Each structure stands twice: as structure tokens, then as C-alpha cells.
Amino acid sequence: MDLEAKADALMDGLRADLERLAAIPSVAFPGHPQEPVLEAHDLVASLLRDAGVPVVERIDLPDTAPAVRGEIPPPEPDAPTVLLYGHYDVQPAGDPALWLSPPFEPTPVPGGLRARGIADDKSNVIAQLGMIRLYGGRPPVGLKVVIEGQEEYGSAFDAYPPADPERFACDAMVIADLGNLRPGTPTLTTGLRGTAEVTVEVRTLAEPRHSGEFGGAAPDALLVLLHALATLHDAAGDVAVPGLRRDPWEGTGFTEGEFRDLAAVHDDVPLLGSGPLGERLWSGPAITVIGLDAPSVDHAASAVVPYARARLNLRFHPLQDPHGALDAVTRHLLAQRPFGVPLTVTPGDTGPGFEARTGGPAYRAAMTALKEAWGMPVSFVASGASIPLVNGLARAAPRAEVLLFGAMDSMCNLHAPNERVLLSELRNTVVAMAAFVREYAADYRAAAPR
């Protein structure tokens, strides 16, 4: 079977379906209408049925947008089953003034399309659909398709698979919520950093006091907080909290120039930290101040600040225990008493990281497939982002190999204005998924006991 020719023949239809799906503002965040989310769910379910998936069902959980689950039985008893994961919900568009075109009007750009969610993750949903169409609804493996509806905000679905493992039982799974390091570079993601949040508060006075009369002796809560936050990093910008794991990074990574462009770092500003970028971004910790409660500059009064608060986001090594990482930061902050003032530290939610097993038959098949699709060897990266459902799926199918690849790329502006997907990456992902199930089915049969 000429996979590339078949994928090329499908591309006009896949592009049209991607535009239909991306035009739906399926934001599953509080305060956004539910109707578009349900519309996107129904469209995905309809597309799967039309592609030949015989079983398509809706999974409803409390306070959660519905998930789509499809199933194609194995074509023969010794064929493996592959689970495909994606999500149809999207991030809010943010300030429309920052977009070059309306965020929910798919718009052509050089080589691709621009819209909110068109890369993350609707391109990957369409790539999975393309693989099923390529095989006429009869792939050489059994398939279980899981398309979530509230991934971006988080939901009860994250913990659901282990409670109903038969629905998710498989031999390998493709988590298509990621993509390539750069366009044209086939990439497998082997690890996801864990995440946690911490809130730090300081109260020093019952109310503000005149800075001229009381400043110099009255304890300034904001100064106390800033001194405490400054202890989280050393002079180079590396995290200085004992107990947070950092390992050497052996895979591929960004060049400094690529990272500066991606992060939009000003030319005269140095990057934080020391050592390879892979360690700083993927196999080591990061602590970011994501919120600060303090008087604004525009409304500042000449007064000693009585109260200040900060919200911190922690990212940690894929294999570090989430509660251990959170405890390390909490202990460090509680040990700080700037000017003798104690802090109130409140641990928040945590999400575990994930590190995939490599070297098995599914990984061998994926490396062959991605090389076939892109014409060059696979690169291996990790991700600082977290996908909470991955751990739930892995617990439901503990023997399954977990593969993370897809149609996005690091330059697609996911979660940012002017998100875009390249049609070449979408096409190659269809080829890669089709080649993967072909290779995996052959390898699985060859290894089966006779």
C-alpha cells in the first residue's frame, strides 16, 4: 500500500474537516457557553462513524464535557489493539486584538491554517481520522479512539480510566497531544514534567501606614515576600530548592537561538539558569511566579504595604514524586523568615509527570513509521507541559507502551495568539500513524507464540 499517495488523496477532505472543527469555539472553561463544546463533540462522533468506526459512544462524567469513544475490533485474533487519544476542546482565544484574523475563522497562512485550537489539538484529531480513512475503516490493528472534551481546563476524566479499565485496555497507545521539536523533524516525546502550585502569603500590619512616618521600622509585607521569593533561585537563575531532582538530558534539544525566538526573549536579556537547555526545560525543575497580589503602580499610595501574596507554579522531573516535590518547595519557603517575619505557605494541586518506557515493539514501529513519513531519523525530546490523563490511561493499561507524537510543532503558537498548523505536518502525521499500525501489527504477529 502506497501510504503517501493515499494520504495525499485524503488531504483536501481532511483540510475541510479541520476547518469545520476549528470554526467551533469549543472552550470548556467556566463562563463559556456549553453549546459549542457539544457541537464539537457531535461533529467528532459523526466523523468517526462516517470513517467506518462501528462503535462510537459518549462518555458522560459529572461536571465534565462529554468524551467521544470509538472502537474497531482487531481484524484477527493475534492482532494488537492501539488506543488513540486526543481532545476536541481548546484554550480560550484571549485578546482578539492580538490575532491577525478572528480566532475561530480558520484562515490560510503560508503552508497551513490559523485558528484557535487548530493545532492543539484538533489537527491531531483529524490526523487520527485520516489514518482510519486511509485504511477504509479496517486498519491492521484493533483501535480504541478516545477524544476528550475538557482537557485544557481539567476534569474528572483524568482519573476515570483506571475505574473502567476494560474500555481502555490496549497493547499500545498513541497520545496525540504533542508534535515535533521543529517543523520537518520527526519527534517522539519520552517524558512530561509534573506540575504543582503553591501560594505564599505575608501579613505584617493590620492596615496600611504612612511610609514617611512609619517606613524604616514598620515591616513591609511586599519586601518580605520579595526576599523570600528571591531564595528560590541562585545567582545563575537555577532553582535552589533542596530535594528537587535534576538529571542530565540525553535527547535532542533547542538551540539557544530557536528557544529565544520561541519564547520571544528580548535580545538584551539573558536566559535563566545554567547547563543544557534540555535540563532546564525537561529533566530539571522550574519555579515561576505566575501571580502577585500587591498594590499596583498606577494606584500606589505612600504607605507601608500590610499584605502581599504570590502564586507559584512548580514543574519537576518526570519521575519525581509529586508530593515530594511539593513538600520540598513548601519546606524551603516555611524555613524562610525574612527580617524575622514568618510566611504562610499553602500547597495547591499537583499533577504527576510521566516517563515512557522505550525500546519495545511499539517504539520500534514508531521510529520506523516517523522516519518513513518525514524522511529522516527520529529525535527524542521531553515536554515541560503536563497531560494529566496520560497517567490515568497508563494505570488502566499498565502493560501498554505509550507513544507521544502528533501534528503540532514547537513553533505553532499553541495557547497563544495566532495559533497555526502546517498542512505538511498534518499530512506526514497521517502517514506516520498509518505506517505505525502497519509496522506494529507485523511486529506483534511475528513475536506472538505459535
Side-chain angles (χ1 to χ4, degrees), residues 163-308:
D164 193 2
E166 186 57 34
R167 263 180 165 165
F168 306 96
C170 60
D171 301 290
M173 59 184 77
V174 176
I175 308 298
D177 193 11
L178 292 157
N180 292 334
L181 179 68
R182 58 183 69 88
T185 300
T187 304
L188 280 170
T189 298
T190 60
L192 304 170
R193 279 199 296 196
T195 183
E197 291 195 351
V198 179
T199 301
V200 190
E201 297 181 74
V202 179
R203 295 182 183 273
T204 55
L205 309 173
E207 58 189 16
R209 283 291 184 264
H210 192 293
S211 58
E213 294 186 12
F214 297 95
D220 183 323
L222 184 55
L223 278 179
V224 172
L225 180 61
L226 293 176
H227 275 262
L229 297 180
T231 69
L232 296 170
H233 297 82
D234 64 18
D238 290 309
V239 172
V241 175
L244 293 178
R245 179 172 174 177
R246 175 170 170 166
D247 290 346
W249 175 249
E250 306 293 344
T252 312
F254 295 113
T255 66
E256 182 170 326
E258 284 177 326
F259 183 78
R260 282 181 166 277
D261 288 342
L262 288 170
V265 180
H266 290 298
D267 291 341
D268 58 345
V269 176
L271 301 184
L272 291 181
S274 60
L277 279 173
E279 289 184 26
R280 286 181 265 174
L281 297 173
W282 301 326
S283 63
I287 300 176
T288 306
V289 180
I290 60 172
L292 186 66
D293 288 339
S296 69
V297 171
D298 290 341
H299 299 93
S302 296
V304 179
V305 174
Y307 171 76

